[in-house]
Amino acid sequence: MRLLTLVVLIWLVVGAVAAWQRGYFGDSEQNCSTLATVAVTVVAGPLNYAGVNPKIDCEVPQPSR
């Protein structure tokens, strides 16, 4: 169980480093697409260095007037 926890932790740290290297944590627009892209990049982990470049597009419905 400890080994699995360590592997998952390292996987997520590598994903966070990949997101940081792509500049996702900088001063960028804060919206659904940006947050989803950062989350998927972190979860993809080391796959980012194998050519995976996840991008998510989403639209949040606007409130009615």
Side-chain angles (χ1 to χ4, degrees):
M1 187 64 170
R2 290 181 192 176
L3 179 61
L4 179 63
T5 303
L6 182 62
V7 169
V8 169
L9 182 63
I10 291 171
W11 183 277
L12 293 175
V13 167
V14 169
V17 168
W20 174 74
Q21 287 177 335
R22 291 181 178 165
Y24 292 158
F25 296 125
D27 294 330
S28 63
E29 186 178 338
Q30 302 272 329
N31 58 34
C32 175
S33 296
T34 303
L35 296 176
T37 298
V38 170
V40 172
T41 300
V42 170
V43 170
L47 296 177
N48 289 291
Y49 296 104
V52 175
N53 188 10
K55 299 247 184 212
I56 306 294
D57 291 325
C58 60
E59 284 188 32
V60 178
Q62 298 297 319
S64 60
R65 292 184 178 203

